[in-house]
Amino acid sequence: MISYVAATLVLVAIATIAGLALNLQWGLGGLVNFGLFGFYMLGAYVCALLDTKGVPPLAAMAAAIVVTAAVSAAVSLISVRLSEDYLAIVTLGFAECVRLFISYEEWLTRGTLGVPGIVRPFAGSVPPEWSDAVFLAFAYAWLALVFLLLRKITRAPFGRLVRATRDDATVAEALGKNVLAVRAKVFAIGGALLGVAGSLHAFHYSYIDPTQFSTTLNAYAFMAVIIGGRGSHLGVLIAGFTVILLLEGSRFLADVIPFLDGAQLAALRLFLVGAGLVAILIFKPDGLVREYRLRSGAS
Amino acid sequence: MGQLIFNGLVTGLLIALPALSLALVFSVLRFANYAIGSMLTVGAYLVYAFNAGLGWPLPLAALAGGAVGAGLALAIDRLVYEPLKGRGGVTLLVASIGVGIALENAVRFIAGSSTRGFAVEVARPLRLHGLRINQEQITTIATVLLALAVVWIVFRFTRLGRAMRAVADNADLAAVRGIPRRQVVCAVWVISSVLATLAGVLVGLDGNVDPQMGWNYILPVFTAAILGGIGNPMAAVAGAVVLGITEELATLVLAPHYRTMVAFAVMALLLLVRPTGLFAAQGTAK
């Protein structure tokens, strides 16, 4: 029971980090990333493959972060000049390509067999019975770090610039700002955070295969951002904890509702995610918490 | 070689239906409908229900499925897209992501995740000048050409088609001139969902009916629509054929499961070089 709760809490932290990454890219920067799970998968695989080759876990994680950040920037450059609709399909297409590549290039990724035996950070220095607790603390330390970092970025001049490019790219351009560079940077930072989330995923399961990565992560992240309020990291944090905890916790319902099997419950859960997404867009478009704004002296 | 081009042509025609559907919605409602894949899946399952469930022959089942699918699309428009009208393309886009997730999982919930096939007789392929032509390919070509002809006639020669083009061109001006936007939007959804349902049937004939089927086509469909210049319905058809043949020819050098990558590469290249689409008229403003 305790280990189940701990595992769920880790998953919530991972999904919330993904939600925060989306909040930076879409909430703050106005760049729809519909291929979230592809970058996440890339991070998980880079981390896992290096880790199982004997690279220290933390170094593998660092490499995963650098790779996803660089790849995110490159992908965003394909279409940041165009409207958001294009970025959404480009990121989705990229994610599908990542999944195909990892599923079929067996010499590198072992394909559908998956990568077993991923070593967690500090595995050598903590006794095995403490492994889960230490990893839980590790995941939450990352969540805290990501949250504080994003808050810092948002309140810095750079955050203001990002919001400006979102609200009116033409004005920002006219004021001499390089909109293209800003957007690529936003995408790269978001990608780095997805690299963090993916690495945590690999460490958490200690075995990864392509079936673990699906659009469910996308759905959770969009849900967290929309409910939390676009642009508000605190809102996303709150939404992550309530909504994703609720959704992940609903696995318990399988014991309570006997006439639905596991697959049906999973489908029902995602159906509710989809319907909920639409309902919030219609009825509570601003989400729980309003975006951070500089207070002007007068008000 | 000839066989590859022929296969590519058929694949392209298959993609043309949802690509046309996507471009139609984009041109009138001004958002990229990510639920197009799920609409295709739902259509295939509706037709499957009439075909295998009630034992109707496939053409009749396709008509019935198309009608139910159109009703569903109208209901979704009323519940989702109409209340969000005027809130910007990105909001509608994200809403359509939600609709897509909900639809696909409604299918999983009701029908389960196992793969199914339509109740049709297996026929032996024809041979014509060294080309191998499957029965399904003939069905695909005939259905798609017929559907395209109908849409083209509606678009070109009817009052409704003129109203659609007017709203697509300039919604405000159309409203000023007294064109009922609501009717046009409803008509667009009906056409769009019928096209998606037909595509679902053809995809199901070619392979299987399963909840993922529409999702697998999202990327090629968007690529085709962008090739044609999104928001330019008839050019989307040409884009689809170009994409189909490219994908098929690429199997000469790449493994067949990397088709999606070919579609992605084509799209990326296009967006970098010529984002207005291959066939867009040069120099037109907006």
Side-chain angles (χ1 to χ4, degrees):
Chain A
M1 183 62 201
I2 295 215
S3 67
Y4 176 83
V5 172
T8 306
L9 284 176
V10 169
L11 290 179
V12 169
I14 293 173
T16 308
I17 292 177
L20 286 169
L22 180 69
N23 193 37
L24 174 70
Q25 293 177 335
W26 179 47
L28 220 58
L31 307 165
V32 182
N33 184 351
F34 195 27
L36 223 55
F37 70 97
F39 298 100
Y40 177 80
M41 186 176 187
L42 184 70
Y45 263 89
V46 170
C47 178
L49 288 172
L50 288 175
D51 181 288
T52 49
K53 295 276 186 309
V55 175
L58 288 179
M61 189 172 182
I65 294 170
V66 172
V67 169
T68 44
V71 170
S72 292
V75 170
S76 76
L77 283 178
I78 296 176
S79 73
V80 278
R81 295 180 296 135
L82 307 166
S83 73
E84 295 89 345
D85 310 327
Y86 290 107
L87 190 57
I89 189 63
V90 165
T91 48
L92 175 64
F94 172 76
E96 287 291 311
C97 290
V98 168
R99 192 165 61 175
L100 278 176
F101 183 83
I102 288 175
S103 306
Y104 287 108
E105 296 301 314
E106 283 157 5
W107 58 274
L108 182 66
T109 62
R110 293 169 44 88
T112 46
L113 288 175
V115 183
I118 301 161
V119 186
R120 285 180 178 178
F122 319 118
S125 44
V126 290
E129 66 268 26
W130 282 95
S131 170
D132 282 349
V134 169
F135 185 66
L136 185 68
F138 182 68
Y140 276 84
W142 268 109
L143 179 60
L145 188 68
V146 167
F147 177 71
L148 292 176
L149 177 79
L150 284 181
R151 213 169 65 157
K152 189 100 185 149
I153 290 177
T154 308
R155 299 188 176 187
F158 180 70
R160 206 163 55 226
L161 176 57
V162 172
R163 284 196 300 274
T165 60
R166 173 195 67 191
D167 292 339
D168 198 327
T170 319
V171 169
E173 193 111 33
L175 291 171
K177 308 293 182 192
N178 187 342
V179 173
L180 200 68
V182 171
R183 289 187 169 166
K185 272 184 208 159
V186 166
F187 231 73
I189 299 170
L193 302 185
L194 290 170
V196 170
S199 303
L200 290 175
H201 175 107
F203 290 140
H204 173 63
Y205 286 102
S206 79
Y207 162 82
I208 55 173
D209 71 56
T211 59
Q212 294 171 357
F213 302 91
S214 68
T215 46
T216 310
L217 182 84
N218 272 1
Y220 280 7
F222 271 95
M223 194 87 181
V225 172
I226 294 173
I227 293 184
R230 283 180 59 188
S232 162
H233 302 306
L234 184 65
V236 174
L237 201 64
I238 296 170
F241 269 83
T242 48
V243 177
I244 300 171
L245 201 59
L246 215 65
L247 289 166
E248 280 295 322
S250 67
R251 292 182 198 280
F252 272 128
L253 286 179
D255 307 330
V256 191
I257 310 174
F259 53 88
L260 292 177
D261 60 31
Q264 276 187 317
L265 259 180
L268 187 64
R269 188 163 61 222
L270 279 174
F271 175 80
L272 291 177
V273 169
L277 217 84
V278 172
I280 297 156
L281 278 177
I282 295 174
F283 298 112
K284 194 143 179 35
D286 294 331
L288 290 174
V289 183
R290 220 171 60 112
E291 180 178 67
Y292 167 80
R293 298 237 181 251
L294 274 180
R295 282 196 200 95
S296 64
S299 64
Chain B
M1 187 72 180
Q3 183 73 52
L4 282 180
I5 291 180
F6 176 74
N7 288 350
L9 187 71
V10 177
T11 315
L13 285 176
L14 189 57
I15 299 171
L17 291 183
L20 175 60
S21 164
L22 180 76
L24 206 57
V25 170
F26 189 88
S27 66
V28 170
L29 285 109
R30 293 281 148 205
F31 77 98
N33 180 18
Y34 276 81
I36 182 74
S38 301
M39 282 167 69
L40 190 152
T41 310
V42 168
Y45 270 88
L46 286 173
V47 176
Y48 176 82
F50 284 110
N51 174 236
L54 299 178
W56 295 9
L58 197 57
L60 196 62
L63 280 181
V68 178
L72 194 63
L74 287 177
I76 291 172
D77 178 57
R78 190 77 204 78
L79 285 173
V80 178
Y81 301 124
E82 190 60 22
L84 288 172
K85 185 179 67 179
R87 289 261 290 278
V90 180
T91 305
L92 283 163
L93 181 156
V94 175
S96 77
I97 293 173
V99 170
I101 295 171
L103 281 180
E104 186 187 316
N105 285 287
V107 167
R108 278 184 204 276
F109 183 77
I110 296 167
S113 296
S114 53
T115 56
R116 297 146 194 275
F118 288 113
V120 285
E121 309 226 343
V122 182
R124 152 193 293 282
L126 297 177
R127 292 205 164 269
L128 200 75
H129 300 299
L131 283 184
R132 221 177 110 92
I133 303 174
N134 292 328
Q135 210 63 51
E136 298 90 59
Q137 289 180 312
I138 298 174
T139 318
T140 303
I141 294 173
T143 316
V144 172
L145 290 182
L146 187 70
L148 292 182
V150 169
V151 173
W152 188 72
I153 289 169
V154 168
F155 220 58
R156 209 75 239 172
F157 297 114
T158 62
R159 274 184 78 86
L160 176 68
R162 217 160 41 210
M164 277 185 200
R165 279 183 289 144
V167 175
D169 222 33
N170 189 332
D172 294 333
L173 190 59
V176 169
R177 299 291 297 166
I179 291 170
R181 180 186 174 277
R182 192 74 204 124
Q183 275 177 27
V184 170
V185 167
C186 287
V188 163
W189 280 117
V190 168
I191 297 175
S192 167
S193 68
V194 169
L195 290 174
T197 304
L198 280 179
V201 175
L202 297 175
V203 171
L205 275 178
D206 189 39
N208 290 312
V209 178
D210 70 82
Q212 272 268 315
M213 60 190 284
W215 179 256
N216 297 335
Y217 274 86
I218 281 198
L219 198 60
V221 167
F222 268 82
T223 307
I226 295 174
L227 264 171
I230 195 164
N232 185 357
M234 281 306 168
V237 175
V241 172
V242 171
L243 178 71
I245 293 174
T246 313
E247 274 190 9
E248 209 61 51
L249 288 179
T251 56
L252 288 173
V253 284
L254 269 178
H257 49 245
Y258 281 152
R259 276 165 174 227
T260 306
M261 282 200 191
V262 177
F264 179 68
V266 168
M267 182 168 69
L269 196 69
L270 195 75
L271 287 179
L272 285 171
V273 181
R274 207 180 143 82
T276 46
L278 282 186
F279 311 104
Q282 288 276 341
T284 48
K286 192 164 171 239

